Amino acid sequence: MAATLPKVSLYLHTHWDREWYLPYESYRARLLEVVREIIQHLQSGDLPNFLLDGQACVLEDVVEIDPSLAQPLKDLMARGILLAGPWYVLADQFLVCGESLMRNLAIGLQETRQFGEPAMVGYCPDTFGHTEDMPRILKAFGIDSAFVWRGVPPMDGLPAFYWSSQDGSTVLAHHLLKGYYNTAFHDGKTTAELAEHLQQFVRGTEYGGTNKPAAMPPFLVPVGADHHGPPQSFSKTVQELRAATAASLSEIKVQGLPDFSKEWQETASKNARAFATINGELRDNTAALRYERSFLLQGVLSSRLYLKRANRRAEHRLMRVCEPLYTVLNLTGGFTYPEPELRYAWKLLLKNHPHDSICGCSIDEVHTEMIYRFHKLHQELNALDGRAAEHLLGPGTAGVLPRVALGESIVVTPDRAAKAFQLFNLSGEQVSCPVLVSWAEDPASKVALPSNKNDHIQLVSKERQPMIFSSAGREPDVRTVDLRKAWIWAEKVPPLGSVQFEMNADSAGSETDSVPYVTVEKDRISNGLLSVESEPDGDLIVTAHGVRGQSQVYRLGHRLFDCGDCGDTYNYDPLPDDEPIQGEASRGSGAWSRGPLVGSLVLNYKINIPSGLTDEGDSTEPDLTHFSRARRTLPHIITTEISLRRGVPIVFFDTRWVNKSTDHRLEVQFDTGLMVAETFSENHFAVVRRPHQQRLTELPVAKGCEAPPDTFPCQRFFIANSQLFLNSGLPEYRVNGTTVATTILRAVSQLSRPRLMTRGAGAGPPVATPEANCLGLNEVRYGWAPLQAHSDHEQLAQAYSLAELFEGPLWSIATQAESASEAKPMLSCNNKSVRLSALFMQGDLACLRLLNVTGQAQSVRMTVNLTSPQLCTADASGKKVEELKPVVSQRGAASVYNLDFAANQLRTFTLSSGKSN
C-alpha cells in the first residue's frame, strides 16, 4: 500500500513582546499599525484567520489608544476568524508564583471575552522552559492542550505528547519542533521556494514511530514571527502552493490552533499508545540544535535580581496579605472589598510578568519602567491599606508611609496615641513570632515609652520626619512626627484572625513565657531553638536544640564567592581558568539587634573584585570573543546581619553591599555536611525533585547548542539534606558536592552576545545594557532552617510553614484601645499538610484555594466561624459547582466541614459572606 502523503496546517500569527529591545510605548505604536493591517486583511478575505498571540493585553493596549478598533475586533472574533487569549500576558513560568499564573489566565479569559470567545488552547510559544504545574493550571480552566517549544527532551515519534502534573492533570502538548518563528511567507519567496520550504519542514521532523496512527493529523507550520504583520497576498500564495505540492502533500489548510488541536485530540483518543508521556517540568535543552536552537536561556533566573526581589515582594503583599486581609474584613466586619482597585493592581503586576520583562533580558529603559509599575502597585496598596485602617479606626487616621510595602504597620495620626496594636494573621495557621511595627508620636508631647519590664517589646529606632495624614474628602494634615519602630511579640495570633497587643501590659503570667528569649553574646546568638556561632574565619556553626537535650550541629559555612561572567542577560558564561575569589570575613562593628525578641551578629566580608572584563580579541571559534578579568580590582565590603527571632526556628540573613564592578557573579555558599544527591524545590503548586550528578561539559559548545542547565529555579525555598534554604526573590540555586549556592548578584553588560562558551548562537540583539550590572546598593534576604520532622510529608508541611514565617504573614495597625475583643479564626484547618493558597473576593463570594502540599491523600477538618456560611466547591474561576454540607452546624456555633484531598491536589471553594460568630 502506498504511503499516505502528509498534510500541513498553517497557522497565522504574530508574536508580540510588549517590551524588549524597544520600550513598551514604541512597540505599542507599531502594534496599532500591525493590528490595523490584520483587520484589513481579515475583512478583505485575504487571511482566513489570525492568532493575536494568545494574550488579551494586546487587545487592551490597542483599544486604549484607538477605541475605534474595538468594534472591528469584536466583529472578527464573533466570526471566529480572529483568535485571541486565553492569557492576559505571555508570562515567564518560573519567575512568577503559581497564583500569578492562575490570575493571569483568569483575567486573560475575562478580558478576552470583552471582545469575543477566547482561543481555549494553552499557547506558550517562547517561554524559557515550562513549569510542571502548567497542565494543572490549564486543566483547571477547562483547557486540554498546550503548545510548547523550549525545554522538550529529545523525542522520537509524534510531535505531540501527554504532559502531566503531579496531581495527575494531563494535557495534550503540541511540540513546535521548529519554533514559532517562520518568515518564509513574508520574505518574497517564489512558489517553488515556498513548496520546498514546506517539504523541508516536514522532512526535518521525527513524525510517526512504531505506533504511528493510520490516519495522521496535519503537521503544524507557523506563519509569523516577532512583531510581524500578516504576509501579503496570502490566500493567492496558498492556492498556488496547493497546486505546486499536489504530488508531495495531500493537503495544505490554514487552520486556527483550536481546530488543529481538536483534530489531534481525536487522533489521540483512538491511538493513545502512539503518544509519549512526560511527567514534570520541561527544562531539557539537549536537543536544542535539533529543535531550531530552542535554548533554555537559564541565566535569566539571575539577571537583574532587583526585578525578582521587587516581584516577590509585590506578589506576597498583594495575594498573601492584602487580599486575605480585605476578605476577612469584608466577611466579618462589613468592609467594602475593593475589587476594581485590586483588579487594577493585578494588571499592573501581570504587565511585569512577560518573559522578556521579568527575565531581565530587555534594554535598560524597559526595566526602569517595570520598577515604576511596581511603585504604582505599592502606591495603590498603600491607599487601600489606609482605607482598611479607616474602617477599623475611623476617618482621617492613616498616614502615607511608603515603607508599608516592607511589611511595617500602618501609621496613624499621633492624635490617636498608640497604646496597642491590632495584629492580623493572614496565614492559615496560628502564629507566634516577633513583628516589626511603626507608630507616630507628636514630638511636643511627653509620651511614656513602653515599659521594659515585660520583654515583649524591643525598641528599634526613632526618626523625626514630616508625614501627610489624609483620607478621601478631607484636607491633608501635614505633621512633623517622631516615627518609632519596634519589634513586638505577637502571641498565638489565630489563622485569619487577630489579637490585641497592649504596649504597656505586664507580661507576667503569659502563656508563652516558656518560649525562650533571644540572647546575644560576642560571637553567639541563641533563641533556645537554634544557636549560631561565628568562628574566627567567619564560618557559621548552627546548633539545633532538640527535645530531651538532643541537639544537632550544622557547620554551615556561609561563604561568599565571586567569579567572572562573560555572558549576557540570557546566559552565564564562565571565563577559562577563572578562579573564584572568596570574601574574607571579619566581625562587624556598629549597631545590631541585641534581643530580647530579635538578636543578631554582623559579619563583614572584604573581597577585591576585578573592575570588569578585558577584551582579548577573537578566539579560535568564529564569533567567540576571548575575555579575561581586569587586573584592576575594586574593594567591596559586603555586610551580612545574621539574626534569630524569638520562637522562630529560622536563621535570617540580610546581606547588603555597594556593587562597583561589572560582568561578574556573586554567590553565597552553604555546606550541607553530606553529598547533595537530590534537592526538592518549591515550584508553583508542587515540590520538584531534582537529582544532581556532577557533569562536565566541554566548552565551547557547538554552534546551535547550549550547555546543560547547572542552575535551577525555585520559588521561596529548596531543600537539600533535610535543610531548608529560603529566599526572597533569589530564585536561582546550584549544587556542588556537599555545598549549595544561591546567586545574589549577576552583573552583565550586554543584552545578548553573538556567541558564548555556553551557547552556540545569539539570543537577542547585541545591545549594551549597563544597568544590568546592578551597580550601587544591593540588599538581599535569605534564610536557613533544619527540617526535623520524621516523615517526608511532615517535612514538606514544615517547609511551607517556615516559608510563610520567613515572608511574614502579619498585618498590624496602631490603636488607642487598651483592650479589645479578640477575633476568632475566621477559618482554620486541623491538618498542616493542607495549606491556604489564596483567599480573595469575587462579587459577594470569597474564593478560597487550599493545597495539599504532599504526595499523599489528606483529610482535613475545616472550621468556619461565620453565621450560616455556604461553602461550595468551585472551578478555578470561582464558579460554584456543588454546595457542601457541614458535619457540625449549630446556631451561634462554628460550622465544621470534612474535606478530602488527593495527592498534591489544589481545590477551589467559594464561601458566602456573613458576620463573624
Side-chain angles (χ1 to χ4, degrees), residues 482-503:
D482 285 340
L483 181 64
R484 287 192 175 272
K485 292 185 189 179
W487 291 97
I488 63 174
W489 175 243
E491 182 178 322
K492 293 187 176 180
V493 191
L496 299 177
S498 67
V499 298
Q500 196 84 3
F501 174 89
E502 296 180 24
M503 297 278 276

Side-chain angles (χ1 to χ4, degrees), residues 138 183 185-186 225 296 370 486 536 600 637 685 707 710 826 881 907:
L138 293 173
T183 60
F185 286 80
H186 297 72
L296 274 181
M370 287 180 63
S600 61
I637 301 297
F685 302 110
D710 60 355
M826 190 195 78
V881 176
R907 299 186 66 184

Side-chain angles (χ1 to χ4, degrees), residues 538-784:
D539 279 4
L540 299 181
I541 300 175
V542 180
T543 302
H545 303 289
V547 296
R548 301 184 186 89
Q550 295 180 347
S551 298
Q552 187 167 353
V553 177
Y554 301 86
R555 302 189 67 87
L556 279 187
H558 187 270
R559 302 181 182 97
L560 297 176
F561 286 92
D562 187 85
C563 60
D565 186 348
C566 56
D568 50 32
T569 61
Y570 293 103
N571 290 80
Y572 165 76
D573 209 47
L575 279 75
D577 304 319
D578 182 34
E579 290 293 331
I581 305 168
Q582 182 176 351
E584 180 182 342
S586 62
R587 182 63 189 272
S589 60
W592 56 86
S593 300
R594 298 184 178 276
L597 300 181
V598 177
S600 61
L601 301 174
V602 174
L603 293 177
N604 289 328
Y605 295 84
K606 181 180 180 181
I607 183 168
N608 293 321
I609 300 176
S611 60
L613 298 178
T614 299
D615 186 339
E616 302 291 346
D618 294 339
S619 70
T620 55
E621 286 283 325
D623 303 322
L624 180 61
T625 302
H626 176 68
F627 292 99
S628 63
R629 301 198 80 173
R631 294 183 179 180
R632 184 170 72 99
T633 63
L634 301 174
H636 288 67
I637 301 297
I638 302 172
T639 300
T640 299
E641 184 174 10
I642 304 115
S643 60
L644 293 176
R645 301 179 186 178
R646 184 188 185 203
V648 179
I650 299 172
V651 183
F652 293 82
F653 298 87
D654 289 276
T655 297
R656 58 182 309 188
W657 72 102
V658 173
N659 179 43
K660 308 172 188 176
S661 298
T662 65
D663 300 291
H664 64 113
R665 183 174 74 178
L666 184 63
E667 295 179 327
V668 57
Q669 293 186 12
F670 292 95
D671 198 321
T672 69
L674 298 170
M675 290 294 294
V676 181
E678 60 184 6
T679 58
F680 300 85
S681 66
E682 184 191 24
N683 193 46
H684 294 113
F685 302 110
V687 170
V688 177
R689 175 186 174 272
R690 292 194 176 93
H692 296 280
Q693 299 176 343
Q694 299 290 4
R695 294 184 297 177
L696 295 178
T697 302
E698 185 176 348
L699 298 178
V701 297
K703 277 194 171 182
C705 296
E706 185 184 36
D710 60 355
T711 60
F712 307 93
C714 65
Q715 290 286 318
R716 298 172 298 174
F717 65 81
F718 68 90
I719 300 169
N721 290 333
S722 295
Q723 298 170 51
L724 182 67
F725 296 88
L726 298 147
N727 77 85
S728 180
L730 301 172
E732 178 181 86
Y733 74 97
R734 68 183 185 94
V735 171
N736 183 21
T738 65
T739 66
V740 295
T742 295
T743 306
I744 61 174
L745 172 73
R746 199 165 76 82
V748 292
S749 298
Q750 290 286 317
L751 192 153
S752 176
R753 297 189 189 275
R755 179 81 159 87
L756 301 178
M757 301 279 285
T758 55
R759 192 187 68 227
V767 178
T769 54
E771 291 179 15
N773 281 295
C774 308
L775 300 175
L777 180 63
N778 287 261
E779 298 178 288
V780 299
R781 167 167 288 184
Y782 44 96
W784 174 91

Side-chain angles (χ1 to χ4, degrees), residues 304-576:
R304 301 183 193 259
L305 279 169
Y306 62 87
L307 296 175
K308 283 65 165 176
R309 297 194 294 273
N311 182 68
R312 182 66 244 172
R313 181 180 296 162
E315 286 182 325
H316 170 70
R317 188 181 181 199
L318 176 56
M319 69 190 67
R320 295 282 185 172
V321 177
C322 289
E323 284 191 330
L325 173 68
Y326 307 152
T327 301
V328 170
L329 293 179
N330 174 274
L331 293 176
T332 64
F335 176 66
T336 301
Y337 188 83
E339 189 170 0
E341 294 92 329
L342 287 172
R343 183 179 181 83
Y344 172 69
W346 266 108
K347 286 185 175 182
L348 283 173
L349 179 62
L350 293 175
K351 287 173 182 176
N352 277 352
H353 286 179
H355 58 277
D356 290 311
S357 302
I358 193 63
C359 287
C361 53
S362 297
I363 60 172
D364 289 342
E365 187 176 353
V366 163
H367 303 299
T368 298
E369 293 179 2
M370 287 180 63
I371 292 298
Y372 176 58
R373 285 189 208 116
F374 283 128
H375 286 326
K376 289 177 67 175
L377 169 67
H378 286 298
Q379 291 163 8
E380 178 80 9
L381 297 183
N382 287 344
L384 296 181
D385 274 355
R387 193 182 301 175
E390 293 182 348
H391 168 77
L392 292 166
L393 303 178
T397 56
V400 178
L401 183 66
R403 280 173 288 186
V404 170
L406 301 177
E408 299 176 17
S409 301
I410 288 288
V411 175
V412 299
T413 173
D415 293 339
R416 297 172 178 258
K419 298 179 181 179
F421 282 89
Q422 191 169 2
L423 308 175
F424 288 84
N425 175 11
L426 288 318
S427 74
E429 64 177 326
Q430 179 178 280
V431 167
S432 293
C433 67
V435 58
L436 187 64
V437 298
S438 302
W439 71 95
E441 294 176 353
D442 187 339
S445 65
K446 295 183 179 180
V447 179
L449 292 177
S451 170
N452 288 324
K453 62 185 177 182
N454 54 37
D455 286 338
H456 276 37
I457 185 165
Q458 179 179 330
L459 299 175
V460 174
S461 65
K462 181 177 75 170
E463 179 183 354
R464 187 158 295 179
Q465 65 179 63
M467 289 189 64
I468 302 173
F469 298 90
S470 65
S471 60
R474 291 175 177 265
E475 290 289 334
D477 181 12
V478 182
R479 306 280 292 273
T480 296
V481 301
D482 285 340
L483 181 64
R484 287 192 175 272
K485 292 185 189 179
W487 291 97
I488 63 174
W489 175 243
E491 182 178 322
K492 293 187 176 180
V493 191
L496 299 177
S498 67
V499 298
Q500 196 84 3
F501 174 89
E502 296 180 24
M503 297 278 276
N504 281 302
D506 191 341
S507 66
S510 168
E511 294 183 24
T512 55
D513 277 349
S514 59
V515 179
Y517 293 98
V518 179
T519 59
V520 180
E521 302 171 21
K522 181 181 178 182
D523 298 310
R524 184 178 186 272
I525 52 176
S526 178
N527 65 357
L529 302 171
L530 302 173
S531 295
V532 181
E533 296 180 66
S534 172
E535 294 192 311
D537 62 358
D539 279 4
L540 299 181
I541 300 175
V542 180
T543 302
H545 303 289
V547 296
R548 301 184 186 89
Q550 295 180 347
S551 298
Q552 187 167 353
V553 177
Y554 301 86
R555 302 189 67 87
L556 279 187
H558 187 270
R559 302 181 182 97
L560 297 176
F561 286 92
D562 187 85
C563 60
D565 186 348
C566 56
D568 50 32
T569 61
Y570 293 103
N571 290 80
Y572 165 76
D573 209 47
L575 279 75

Side-chain angles (χ1 to χ4, degrees), residues 1-5 212-215:
M1 181 182 293
T4 304
L5 294 177
K212 178 179 178 180

